[in-house]
Amino acid sequence: MIKTIYLAGGCFWGTAHLFSLVPGVSETVAGYANSIVPEPTYKKVCTGRTEAAETVKVVYDDDTVGLTDLIKLYFRSIDPLTLNRQGNDIGTQYRTGIYYTDDADRPVIEAQLAGLQRRYKEPLAIEFGPLENFYPAEEYHQEYLYKNPDGYCHVNPALFKEAKEMKTKSTREMEALRQRLTPLQWEVTQHGATERPFVNEYDHEFHPGIYVDITDGTPLFVSSDKFDSGCGWPAFSRPIDDSLLQELQDNSYGMNRIEVKASKSDSHLGHVFPDGPKETGGLRYCINSASLRFIPLADMAKEGYASYIPLVKH
């Protein structure tokens, strides 16, 4: 599906160039977002009186690249704590922001912002909200760094190489899966997003039953091993079988964590931490609700999970 997101990351020359390199991005347009003056020009924007932000319209195929991937790259291209300045550029037009036109994108963006905020004590200086308006900038601003390879750019050049080499996913099976999942489920399982704590579906679910992989129905956890850790996400002391999961080193967001994926589907589930109850092994599998489907005990037999009923203590 072709989608659009609007990213303000300081001077739009570097931001536009960065995202134009990402596989799955079909168009980047430098422009002015959320202006209080119709049809603003660069000269007017630089006065600060338009209240517009230099912003890049990013058009992408979310069967190939996820919104989560784009936002993670965006975060790495900015200083998220600095207001009205990026690199050598100072002024309200250089503020950072993420603006959306599809309401389904909101929880995905919120989850990513919440994850970034947990890294800092200071509040983020990134605006977030629905796009009010967008005006393409003058032609000489479009593809500026392609026209002027030695032109000014505040983005770390190392990110350009990373953008070119971003892994993509594009198969018929993935398209069918995307149609079945909600946007948040898609971003969590396929692009490693983290949903918001405490307001997700299964954080407070403690009825007897089984939790299966939302993508392919593989049984992963049972309610008997679920506990309230207070972390804001479903927590389990162990999986049904260790072979059902794969554990990978995760150094994203400047943290050192162990990512948990489903072995069969390769879907992202969450992370595992060594701070669980000692009496059950000391592990805490912190799992996104969006990666799971809960099947109550009463429905397990008719849904084909009768053999797992003895594992459910009730």
Side-chain angles (χ1 to χ4, degrees), residues 122-197:
E122 304 92 336
L124 301 179
I126 303 173
E127 285 189 343
F128 163 58
L131 181 77
E132 296 175 15
N133 54 63
F134 179 80
Y135 299 95
E138 294 83 348
E139 180 58 32
Y140 73 89
H141 289 300
Q142 308 302 333
E143 300 186 337
Y144 183 85
L145 291 180
Y146 285 105
K147 302 171 184 174
N148 304 275
D150 296 324
Y152 167 75
C153 180
H154 70 288
V155 177
N156 185 337
L159 285 182
F160 295 151
K161 183 176 186 294
E162 290 189 27
K164 289 180 181 179
E165 297 175 353
M166 283 179 63
K167 294 181 179 180
T168 61
K169 298 180 179 182
S170 181
T171 65
R172 291 182 180 179
E173 291 79 10
M174 295 304 292
E175 167 60 17
L177 178 63
R178 191 193 64 78
Q179 294 294 334
R180 286 200 295 109
L181 302 183
T182 67
L184 182 59
Q185 290 169 341
W186 172 263
E187 290 296 330
V188 167
T189 60
Q190 304 307 304
H191 300 292
T194 300
E195 64 196 0
R196 295 177 65 194

Side-chain angles (χ1 to χ4, degrees), residues 203-217:
D203 180 34
H204 301 295
E205 174 60 70
F206 289 99
H207 290 92
I210 192 170
Y211 293 83
V212 304
D213 186 334
I214 189 69
T215 67
D216 66 3

